[in-house]
Amino acid sequence: MSPLRDDLTLLRERRFASLFGARTLSMLGLAFAPVALAFGVLDLPGGDAGTLSIVVAAEAVPHVLGLLLGGVVADRYPRRFVMFTGECLSLIAWLGIGTMLITGWAPLPVLCAFAVLTGLAGAVVWPVLSGIIPEVAPRDRFQAANALLAVGANVARITGLVSAGAVVVLIGPGWALIGAALVYACAATFAWRIGSTPRPGREGGTSAVAELREGWQEFASRQWLWVVVAQFALLVLAWQGAHTVLGPVVAQAELGGAGAWSAILTGEAVGMLVGVLIALRIRPRRPILVAVLLTSTTAVPYLLLGLGAPLPLIVLGGFLMGLGMDTFTVLWQTTMQREVPPEALSRVASYDAFGSMVFGPVGVLLAGPAAVHLGARPALLVCAGLIVLSSLLALLSPQVRTLRAPSGPITPVVEGDYPLPVDPVG
């Protein structure tokens, strides 16, 4: 059997196939629902950009702040159940918002309350995704499992982005959000079908603070891990400013507007899909070194935008960014799953996500003044420089340069015999 066909046989195994279905459907909802939400809020009486920003902030803040607690929950209770709970929170939230938009009764505080639920749902589900792989796939196929999940997620993302606008126009944002809620209901069903697994860690007896401290010790004891997370704190700061503010400003002023920016985003999405297909095949001996080098591709489209390059070249730059970042993601997740004890994996993943994202809002806030005082194109060049600088600084770490993947074949195991996390109590 060819290596690719061997990797695809993971989809025949019930637990992994159920996880694949849950993750793919969840990403479809995640790509689709925000578009319907934006148009729905803007169509409300008195709705404007300020109203929309309040609702979006009500989702974003609890998402970031809840990540660390989400890691504790995912390491304490059965991850299948935690994932199911997160999908149900999204189901309730989007069903509530959709119903409000259809009925026309949509007070801002109630909209924000439902938006908080969607943020908490993301904070719960994200740490689970790293920790659950060792429970549904054999150790010798972690990378294939991560890549297959990313393929499904990217196909769902592209489908959601392409279809959302048309669906909102045809049936209205309220009914579109009801449809998104049904997608999350299907995702919850697949999450439940993963089947029961032992609780990964303590179910009681220690405080959340104590478990966060233990997760921090696991995180801080690995130089390669915290160095790359620090790299991403700087990278995401620059990326958020470039991607959400400066890039659209230049596209609007010089490239023809939303159509040009959509073309760049499409190039990125296609690159992400190609990147995970590449990640299915490559097995670098030094995965973190290769992964960090790939992060420098994030600078390419913003460098080209800043230099005034023609649109086709910028679209190609978006493709390279997507390819590099999703290949990075698969290598990064696989290495964490190999190197971090399973009973602490979700907490470590939550520190990873929190540290990487924490300065993103700062980048957005700085982008506007930078565009005014420097100009949008020079500010994009600064962002591209910061992204490259973050990669070079990360390479100063000896562990980033030298950490090696396990050598030699790893004995595969059959479904039902995967080594599960050790219960420190039992």
Side-chain angles (χ1 to χ4, degrees), residues 24-105:
T24 300
L25 288 166
S26 184
M27 284 304 301
L28 177 61
L30 189 63
F32 184 91
V35 177
L37 174 68
F39 284 97
V41 171
L42 292 174
D43 283 346
L44 290 172
D48 56 17
T51 308
L52 180 59
S53 69
I54 293 172
V55 175
V56 172
E59 177 183 10
V61 172
H63 176 76
V64 174
L65 296 181
L67 281 168
L68 297 182
L69 183 58
V72 171
V73 171
D75 275 342
R76 177 179 286 200
Y77 301 107
R79 291 180 175 122
R80 178 275 298 257
F81 180 74
V82 176
M83 189 172 190
F84 171 80
T85 302
E87 305 297 357
C88 287
L89 288 176
S90 292
L91 160 63
I92 294 168
W94 294 119
L95 183 63
I97 295 175
T99 302
M100 292 171 68
L101 294 180
I102 291 170
T103 61
W105 183 81

Side-chain angles (χ1 to χ4, degrees), residues 278-296:
I278 292 172
L280 271 169
R281 299 273 42 91
I282 64 171
R283 298 293 188 272
R285 294 292 300 122
R286 299 182 182 183
I288 299 302
L289 173 62
V290 173
V292 168
L293 289 172
L294 286 169
T295 61
S296 61

Side-chain angles (χ1 to χ4, degrees), residues 1-386:
M1 184 181 294
S2 69
L4 178 58
R5 289 182 62 190
D6 186 46
D7 290 340
L8 292 176
T9 59
L10 274 171
L11 293 171
R12 298 178 185 172
E13 297 174 357
R14 176 183 55 80
R15 286 186 291 177
F16 180 79
S18 298
L19 174 62
F20 179 87
R23 177 60 174 158
T24 300
L25 288 166
S26 184
M27 284 304 301
L28 177 61
L30 189 63
F32 184 91
V35 177
L37 174 68
F39 284 97
V41 171
L42 292 174
D43 283 346
L44 290 172
D48 56 17
T51 308
L52 180 59
S53 69
I54 293 172
V55 175
V56 172
E59 177 183 10
V61 172
H63 176 76
V64 174
L65 296 181
L67 281 168
L68 297 182
L69 183 58
V72 171
V73 171
D75 275 342
R76 177 179 286 200
Y77 301 107
R79 291 180 175 122
R80 178 275 298 257
F81 180 74
V82 176
M83 189 172 190
F84 171 80
T85 302
E87 305 297 357
C88 287
L89 288 176
S90 292
L91 160 63
I92 294 168
W94 294 119
L95 183 63
I97 295 175
T99 302
M100 292 171 68
L101 294 180
I102 291 170
T103 61
W105 183 81
L108 184 58
V110 183
L111 280 175
C112 288
F114 280 118
V116 168
L117 276 186
T118 68
L120 292 176
V124 167
V125 170
W126 180 256
V128 171
L129 294 172
S130 291
I132 202 170
I133 291 293
E135 298 178 4
V136 299
R139 185 176 177 83
D140 63 315
R141 298 167 78 183
F142 283 177
Q143 186 165 331
N146 285 306
L148 287 171
L149 288 180
V151 168
N154 282 317
V155 170
R157 183 184 291 113
I158 293 170
T159 302
L161 289 173
V162 169
S163 64
V167 173
V168 168
V169 170
L170 289 173
I171 67 174
W175 287 110
L177 286 178
I178 297 294
L182 293 177
V183 170
Y184 278 108
C186 294
T189 301
F190 274 101
W192 191 258
R193 284 174 52 84
I194 292 171
S196 67
T197 55
R199 55 191 173 91
R202 297 180 178 89
E203 194 168 352
T206 59
S207 67
V209 173
E211 294 189 37
L212 280 172
R213 189 181 303 117
E214 293 172 2
W216 174 258
Q217 290 169 352
E218 293 287 351
F219 175 83
S221 65
R222 292 166 173 82
Q223 184 189 80
W224 61 270
L225 207 163
W226 61 258
V227 164
V228 176
V229 171
Q231 173 205 352
F232 263 73
L234 180 58
L235 186 152
V236 171
L237 182 149
W239 176 82
Q240 284 276 36
H243 198 73
T244 63
V245 178
L246 300 171
V249 166
V250 172
Q252 178 70 27
E254 302 180 19
L255 298 174
W261 189 243
S262 177
I264 296 168
L265 295 181
T266 301
E268 178 190 357
V270 173
M272 293 169 74
L273 184 57
V274 173
V276 295
L277 294 176
I278 292 172
L280 271 169
R281 299 273 42 91
I282 64 171
R283 298 293 188 272
R285 294 292 300 122
R286 299 182 182 183
I288 299 302
L289 173 62
V290 173
V292 168
L293 289 172
L294 286 169
T295 61
S296 61
T297 61
T298 309
V300 175
Y302 310 120
L303 176 64
L304 294 171
L305 276 164
L307 293 174
L311 179 60
L313 196 57
I314 301 170
V315 172
L316 177 60
F319 172 85
L320 292 175
M321 175 175 72
L323 185 152
M325 288 307 297
D326 258 36
T327 307
F328 162 86
T329 299
V330 172
L331 296 176
W332 177 253
Q333 294 281 4
T334 302
T335 303
M336 278 210 304
Q337 289 152 6
R338 286 173 178 161
E339 298 291 329
V340 177
E343 64 271 18
L345 190 50
S346 290
R347 278 170 289 171
V348 170
S350 69
Y351 278 111
D352 167 26
F354 180 80
S356 298
M357 297 167 57
V358 68
F359 293 130
V362 177
V364 175
L365 292 173
L366 292 177
V372 171
H373 295 291
L374 297 177
R377 282 173 54 184
L380 280 165
L381 294 177
V382 172
C383 291
L386 287 174

